[in-house]
Amino acid sequence: MVGVISYGAYIPLHRISREEFFQAWGGFAIPGEKAVANFDEDSITMAVEAAIDSMMGANQEKIDALFFASTTSPYKEKLGSAIVSTVLDLPPEVRTADFTGSLRVGTIALRSTLDAIKAGSARRVLLAVADTRLGAPAGDFEQTLGDGAAALLLGEGDVIAEITDSYSISDEFSGVWRADGDTFLRSWEDRMVLDEGYSRILPQAMSGLMEKCNLTPRDFTKAVYDAPTDVRRHMRVGTQLGFEPGQVQDPMFMTVGNTGAALATMMLAAALEEAKPDDRILFASYGNGADAFILEVTKAIGKLGERRAIRKHLESKRMVKNYQTYLRWRGLLTLEAARRPEQAPTSISGLWRHRREILALCGARCTSCGTPQYNNPGSLGHSPARVCVVCQAKDQFELYRFADKKAEVFTFTQDNLTAHADPPATVAVVDFEGGGRAEFEMTDRDPAQVEIGMPVEMTFRKLYHDPARGIHNYYWKTRPIRC
Amino acid sequence: MAESIKDKVAIVGMGCTGFGELWEKSATDLLVDAAYEAYEDAGVDPNDIQAAWVATFYEYSGMAGLAASVPLRLQYKPVTRVENMCASGSDALRNACYAVAARVYDIALAVGVEKIKDQGLSGLGGNPHAATHVNPPSTAPGIFAMLATRYFARYGLSPEEGKRMLGMISVKSHWNGARNPKAHFKREVTIEQVLRAPIVAWPLGLFDCCGVSDGSAAAVVVRAEDAKKFRPDPVYIKALQICTGFGEGTTRTDFDYTHIEETYRAGARAYEEAGISNPREEISMAEVHDCFSITEAVTMEDLQFSPRGKVYEDILGSNAGFFTLQRALEGEKALPVQPDGGLKCFGHPIGASGLRMLYEMYKQLQGRAGPRQIKNPKLGLTHNLGGPPTSPTIGCVIVGL
């Protein structure tokens, strides 16, 4: 039995009301709000969040492969899945691959994953899908595109949903696209985009699969399928195929927006949150063709542990102050430079040498005195520790991971002097549960709510981009317990 | 058997430039002005200097011994650059003193300089080295502000009480700076002005932060037995201590963020070296490293001037004004701190600061401090802090007649 072992999702804390765009530009008022990645988030960091969420409470069997699917990987030539895998502290033997190039990459990767598991080349695969597409200011896409991620842990055996069959169509048609070097999404004339694209190709795959399996819409509990950016066409696909409106999974347009390649998998996560044993789900994704799958939910779904997935992430939110803040976070404005020191060159060798400290947030625990200790590899002290900061034992350390530990604020400041995209910069010294202390930036926080003793958790973020060298520098920050 | 440095070395000449935003002066101008004032004060010729130690932090103020040998044209002399962050000046002095005490040289120069304001930045400059850049986006005020956050919480000060206590530290230093023609900031401020100022890094506001200044200071040192050949009123070294952290404060959960252990230990060792048992009574005056008001507050406790957790009493409480020069000048019992205005008002050109502190103690002991002259001081202390409060280098010097 091959299928979903566990699932997870991530929706950024921040939302912006579509009213803000209307206020800025006028035009057509689209209702609702959309999820907005913080200035320090991108598709890699959101994939990490969703991946961690998917591993919550799932059995900790070894992961053989880590796949990352996105149309917005920050690198053209550097494997995003290798970054995510290092962040999750997976061993180097893990198979990594990036899937990109289409809004359908999430399900293209899913089909490859299922093939690998069935062929016996991998037993357990973690697939993370994330997207942060940009619409140009003053356009509809600016209002409709949202940011988000989802992850599926796939394997054989004790699955919560068996994936019994699949069906795919390839079609060269692209109603929306981005060429190499494009910052913003492009689109063809929208009647054709929908009539000849989405509304023709997606149902072909869905009905094709149903015919192949001798099933009708009545045989399904839910139809979970991609929505176009013009969400009004979403329901029509389902009802024309014969699904009742109640069977069609909500595409979260009013709350999250269209999250590109991640949308279908996020919707599947939402459906699995509500799913009961023996439910049958038709799952489909669209983009230069379409993929469709049948999922049959098993009893194991009742034993799956708590996760944040869609529901909790949706409920926990904070509105972006205004449209200017949104433009600043997306890097769409040239702002006056702070009169602060320029960033010194980023050292690739330093980042690589300290990858376990930086990306996996590994410290050390002294086996002589038992003290867990984290040495920030960027600070004046040096890392990794060779001599214990308490008992001075030399080289008596075992690896100790801080990324999954909760912590408490020991002291903090709100720094207005430092150059920052969301001033003031909140910097806090935190003490970890089980020992160890370190100093981190705090993100996704309301400065007025930060106080001594406040519980925090670690979150993987992009610290900055070094444009002169094309380096995205990732690291961990603290945040108030999200939900 | 290790010995104390007490009374083995004397300072026979000192120089110090005015500190400030000295747009028309280069590091060379500053070094020459400070060193030649010191030569003249000691009555020595530049060629009498047998060895020199130069303190600078930023590389653009100068690198290697060349930082001083080139501007001063010290010809074929042994010259070494000392870098121990903001405590570099005290460490340059320590090297020069140890060298003459060891009888390797007879006359040595310690000089510190920093030309900060050519960077065009708000606050201090950055670390120019290629790095992994995973430090939090902290600034110097942010790093020290975390002491204040914790101090207020630990000792039950409301933000208003805490900020008022810190504010009075700056009001006091501005009163002193207003009486010092060489100071960067020569203007008195009121507590209301201090409390109204914009927040730089909560809870520290603009007036809780010291000046970022250009400047230089220098000292000529000789062995004690030779000192009177140079001047009738040499100032003797009673203690020279350095204490360096090891990255403990951001790593170990036992660091409390309400004191600086290195200051406490450097002070305690200096008192032992100088034979001082009750610092609050025996130290006549002090220049401490008030890079931020909170640093001065915890330093008063770490140097045992105020009991632990009780500095409030000496600032705003039952013994308010204990550290003010004003009170000392009025003939009341006091321990004036920062009589020259401190880092807060005299300014803080990093490599020069330790020697600038010493300059005020030297002048005060000799009775040459003008309108700031404290009556009959016996012992002066300088406390110089380099690096973050979680792992600093402390230089602590005690001088006397």
Side-chain angles (χ1 to χ4, degrees):
Chain A
M1 203 186 268
V2 172
V4 180
I5 304 273
S6 171
Y7 64 92
Y10 179 72
I11 300 167
L13 178 68
H14 291 94
R15 315 293 153 81
I16 188 165
S17 165
R18 293 195 173 101
E19 181 68 19
E20 296 282 354
F21 302 103
F22 179 70
Q23 290 297 330
W25 302 115
F28 180 64
I30 302 177
E33 59 194 42
K34 69 171 204 167
V36 176
N38 203 338
F39 71 93
D40 55 5
E41 295 184 292
D42 66 9
S43 294
I44 295 273
T45 67
M46 296 199 308
V48 167
E49 292 275 6
I52 290 172
D53 192 48
S54 77
M55 297 189 322
M56 297 268 251
N59 103 37
Q60 296 297 311
E61 196 182 312
K62 182 167 84 66
I63 291 168
D64 302 311
L66 184 284
F67 296 155
F68 168 58
S70 175
T71 69
T72 47
S73 177
Y75 285 108
K76 247 193 297 190
E77 183 174 333
K78 176 167 181 172
L79 206 57
S81 52
I83 300 173
V84 175
S85 162
T86 310
V87 172
L88 300 177
D89 205 29
L90 301 180
E93 306 79 53
V94 77
R95 202 169 123 196
T96 48
D98 285 9
F99 292 77
T100 189
S102 166
L103 286 179
R104 191 162 51 98
V105 280
T107 52
I108 289 172
L110 177 60
R111 281 209 74 170
S112 302
T113 300
L114 297 171
D115 289 347
I117 294 167
K118 282 178 191 156
S121 81
R123 257 191 70 76
R124 189 164 283 211
V125 181
L126 181 49
L127 166 61
V129 199
D131 242 346
T132 46
R133 293 188 302 160
L134 265 184
D140 282 356
F141 289 136
E142 186 182 43
Q143 301 200 36
T144 52
L145 303 185
D147 303 324
L152 297 173
L153 188 57
L154 298 144
E156 197 157 18
D158 200 14
V159 298
I160 60 160
E162 183 184 4
I163 301 180
T164 54
D165 215 333
S166 58
Y167 185 90
S168 294
I169 290 172
S170 184
D171 194 310
E172 191 273 344
F173 182 80
S174 55
V176 291
W177 71 97
R178 272 174 291 139
D180 189 16
D182 282 350
T183 304
F184 303 113
L185 189 60
R186 296 177 187 273
S187 176
W188 189 244
E189 191 269 322
D190 52 1
R191 302 288 299 196
M192 192 201 176
V193 168
L194 294 167
D195 294 345
E196 276 308 303
Y198 176 81
S199 300
R200 177 178 65 84
I201 298 168
L202 181 62
Q204 262 179 29
M206 292 165 74
S207 55
L209 180 57
M210 287 192 282
E211 279 165 32
K212 180 184 172 194
C213 301
N214 269 325
L215 294 168
T216 66
R218 278 188 300 280
D219 298 318
F220 291 90
T221 322
K222 276 274 170 68
V224 180
Y225 58 91
D226 256 327
T229 49
D230 185 344
V231 75
R232 294 170 296 187
R233 290 297 194 98
H234 177 251
M235 182 61 80
R236 202 187 296 174
V237 161
T239 50
Q240 281 176 357
L241 283 169
F243 287 97
E244 296 296 324
Q247 284 174 284
V248 175
Q249 182 68 33
D250 171 40
M252 299 181 281
F253 180 79
M254 296 298 283
T255 48
V256 177
N258 189 302
T259 56
L263 179 61
T265 315
M266 289 174 75
M267 290 167 67
L268 179 61
L272 288 171
E273 281 182 320
E274 311 291 335
K276 295 179 184 58
D278 302 325
D279 280 0
R280 184 182 284 138
I281 296 170
L282 179 62
F283 172 51
S285 168
Y286 168 74
N288 316 113
D291 294 318
F293 303 82
I294 294 171
L295 282 83
E296 293 187 356
V297 180
T298 74
K299 287 194 185 64
I301 199 156
K303 287 180 276 175
L304 197 64
E306 276 285 293
R307 63 211 50 250
R308 291 172 178 173
I310 298 296
R311 203 184 314 123
K312 288 190 177 176
H313 276 131
L314 253 188
E315 282 167 10
S316 131
K317 68 169 181 177
R318 187 165 167 237
M319 298 310 289
V320 173
K321 248 177 292 179
N322 49 38
Y323 181 58
Q324 299 90 291
T325 303
Y326 169 84
L327 290 175
R328 183 179 193 170
W329 287 5
R330 295 285 73 83
L332 297 177
L333 283 179
T334 303
L335 295 165
E336 184 179 337
R339 275 179 278 281
R340 292 292 299 158
E342 281 169 39
Q343 192 79 58
T346 310
S347 168
I348 286 279
S349 51
L351 291 175
W352 174 79
R353 186 169 59 250
H354 299 301
R355 59 197 178 280
R356 288 194 92 169
E357 288 82 26
I358 293 171
L359 294 178
L361 203 68
C362 285
R365 187 179 157 276
C366 176
T367 54
S368 177
C369 73
T371 309
Q373 40 209 281
Y374 180 74
N375 293 273
N376 182 316
S379 62
L380 296 164
H382 303 280
S383 181
R386 294 290 306 276
V387 178
C388 175
V389 72
V390 175
C391 75
Q392 294 175 295
K394 176 174 168 286
D395 292 332
Q396 306 281 308
F397 291 111
E398 60 187 16
L399 211 70
Y400 187 90
R401 193 148 182 261
F402 286 99
D404 52 2
K405 305 280 185 298
K406 297 245 187 323
E408 205 177 273
V409 172
F410 188 77
T411 187
F412 69 94
T413 185
Q414 308 284 1
D415 197 323
N416 286 306
L417 178 60
T418 202
H420 203 267
D422 186 21
T426 304
V427 178
V429 171
V430 301
D431 287 354
F432 286 95
E433 257 176 36
R437 165 181 290 183
E439 187 182 2
F440 296 100
E441 181 178 351
M442 192 188 293
T443 192
D444 284 359
R445 84 294 174 237
D446 174 357
Q449 302 293 317
V450 178
E451 56 184 14
I452 287 176
M454 175 182 197
V456 295
E457 61 190 6
M458 303 311 298
T459 176
F460 184 71
R461 298 290 165 129
K462 180 155 85 175
L463 213 53
Y464 71 95
H465 175 227
D466 180 344
R469 289 157 201 83
I471 297 171
H472 297 278
N473 198 358
Y474 295 97
Y475 191 48
W476 294 81
K477 296 183 181 181
T478 57
R479 72 169 163 218
I481 306 289
R482 169 75 191 264
C483 45
Chain B
M1 177 72 182
E3 292 176 19
S4 159
I5 194 73
K6 186 183 179 187
D7 292 331
K8 291 194 169 83
V9 179
I11 306 165
V12 294
M14 285 202 78
C16 185
T17 66
F19 284 8
E21 293 169 327
L22 308 176
W23 309 116
E24 297 193 1
K25 291 202 186 247
S26 66
T28 293
D29 293 322
L30 297 168
L31 273 164
V32 168
D33 289 349
Y36 276 73
E37 184 191 336
Y39 297 160
E40 195 182 330
D41 188 45
V44 300
D45 182 84
N47 285 318
D48 295 337
I49 302 296
Q50 295 168 346
W53 281 263
V54 55
T56 64
F57 176 62
Y58 289 116
E59 289 174 355
Y60 39 76
S61 296
M63 286 181 73
L66 298 170
S69 67
V70 175
L72 298 175
R73 301 296 187 205
L74 294 170
Q75 298 188 2
Y76 310 108
K77 301 288 169 64
V79 184
T80 302
R81 176 182 172 213
V82 178
E83 190 279 295
N84 221 337
M85 295 181 118
C86 302
S88 304
S90 296
D91 213 350
L93 175 81
R94 173 170 162 266
N95 278 277
C97 289
Y98 285 176
V100 296
R103 316 186 80 82
V104 180
Y105 306 110
D106 299 317
I107 305 178
L109 175 72
V111 61
V113 66
E114 215 71 66
K115 181 68 199 167
I116 296 183
K117 293 305 297 183
D118 277 0
Q119 292 184 80
L121 302 176
S122 308
L124 293 177
N127 179 344
H129 305 292
T132 51
H133 299 311
V134 289
N135 294 317
S138 319
T139 59
I143 292 169
F144 282 87
M146 289 199 279
L147 288 176
T149 306
R150 192 73 203 178
Y151 190 97
F152 294 177
R154 175 166 182 183
Y155 294 112
L157 298 172
S158 69
E160 294 71 30
E161 287 170 323
K163 277 195 61 68
R164 182 166 287 268
M165 175 184 89
L166 297 181
M168 287 307 291
I169 291 173
S170 301
V171 169
K172 174 261 303 160
S173 294
H174 271 269
W175 194 90
N176 303 354
R179 281 150 186 80
N180 190 341
K182 287 191 173 182
H184 185 164
F185 301 118
K186 296 184 268 279
R187 187 164 64 89
E188 288 184 36
V189 296
T190 64
I191 184 68
E192 288 72 30
Q193 277 176 291
V194 172
L195 295 176
R196 270 201 311 269
I199 295 293
V200 174
W202 173 262
L204 302 181
L206 185 66
F207 286 100
D208 292 300
C209 307
C210 73
V212 176
S213 330
D214 303 324
S216 178
V220 175
V221 298
V222 301
R223 268 185 304 286
E225 70 253 29
D226 300 333
K228 291 269 165 76
K229 291 182 215 163
F230 293 85
R231 62 183 313 129
D233 53 356
V235 166
Y236 295 91
I237 300 286
K238 305 293 180 184
L240 277 180
Q241 290 293 335
I242 295 274
C243 181
T244 306
F246 49 99
E248 73 280 15
T250 47
T251 316
R252 281 169 57 154
T253 49
D254 58 359
F255 175 60
D256 61 12
Y257 268 89
T258 54
H259 89 295
I260 296 171
E261 182 67 16
E262 290 81 358
T263 294
Y264 173 76
R265 292 191 189 222
R269 283 183 208 156
Y271 297 143
E272 192 187 352
E273 188 167 37
I276 292 166
S277 53
N278 185 345
R280 185 179 169 101
E281 297 297 324
E282 293 175 63
I283 297 290
S284 317
M285 57 192 174
E287 287 285 340
V288 306
H289 199 92
D290 57 330
C291 49
F292 302 98
S293 52
I294 182 64
T295 325
E296 181 171 322
V298 300
T299 299
M300 295 302 97
E301 297 179 9
D302 290 329
L303 291 175
Q304 305 173 46
F305 293 167
S306 299
R308 187 65 73 200
K310 301 275 191 219
V311 72
Y312 185 92
E313 293 302 317
D314 288 326
I315 296 170
L316 273 176
S318 56
N319 199 11
F322 183 60
F323 300 123
T324 61
L325 176 62
Q326 199 170 358
R327 189 155 132 179
L329 296 185
E330 285 161 5
E332 286 179 59
K333 186 171 158 54
L335 197 177
V337 173
Q338 327 299 51
D340 70 357
L343 272 66
K344 172 73 205 76
C345 290
F346 202 117
H348 184 28
I350 297 179
S353 280
L355 288 157
R356 181 277 301 163
M357 297 172 177
L358 194 66
Y359 182 74
E360 177 71 3
M361 299 292 94
Y362 173 82
K363 293 279 187 190
Q364 288 279 2
L365 286 164
Q366 293 171 334
R368 299 196 286 162
R372 304 183 311 284
Q373 184 61 51
I374 297 160
K375 200 176 163 203
N376 291 325
K378 297 284 184 296
L379 291 172
L381 178 145
T382 70
H383 159 269
N384 195 192
L385 180 156
T390 49
S391 183
T393 287
I394 302 295
C396 186
V397 179
I398 298 174
V399 288
L401 293 170

